[in-house]
Amino acid sequence: MLREKYSEETEKQMKSFFYSLNERDRRRYAAIEAMKLGHGGQKYISSVLGCHFQTIMAGINEITNGIKTPDDRIRKPGGGKKKIIDTVEDIDEVFFEILKDHTAGSPMDEELKWTNLSLKGISNAFKSRDMNISPYVVKQLLKKHDFVERKMNKAVTMKDCKDRNKQFERINELKENYSKSENPIISIDVKKRVHR
């Protein structure tokens, strides 16, 4: 068992420094700290820095045996944690289900599409389905499925319309009813003009 531990302030500074490093330097720094402490050091440093025990072992191996990654890479080929968008089951299906009624496109370019939902809004929709998907991962999903960021710019500030939400709910209701028929659905993007 470790005889002496660092102060809380020192542990905080160590952790802050650890996360400022790249992956290779992190494991080597963790290894050096663990080696300084001797018996019990690896377990303690693992808990302080929040890194895996095997990461420290890999760092010790690199330092003591002089092992370098190929072509001076930070990570070995094929190593590292896979992206959440590649590991979570049904993430794409749920993503498209969330965006089903919130996707628009350009009549001039069939491949151009966007959504009126925010990253946080999509993230919250995932959470309501018991899937903890962060806004950062949502951004990756939007990029993966070729959604573009679209910001609306208003030249003139318009007054709030109290029935605006009801209008969109009614449009959505009509769209759902109409989609059950075999008739085509056309989406038109129009802008309101102010006449003076």
Side-chain angles (χ1 to χ4, degrees), residues 128-146:
S128 71
R129 292 164 169 80
D130 296 322
M131 295 176 75
N132 191 19
I133 304 299
S134 70
Y136 176 75
V137 175
V138 169
K139 192 170 185 178
Q140 291 180 336
L141 283 166
L142 289 168
K143 186 176 180 181
K144 175 183 176 182
H145 297 294
D146 299 320

Side-chain angles (χ1 to χ4, degrees), residues 154 156-162 164 192:
K154 287 184 180 179
V156 180
T157 304
M158 307 297 290
K159 287 193 295 184
D160 261 352
C161 174
K162 64 177 181 179
R164 180 172 290 159
K192 188 186 289 185

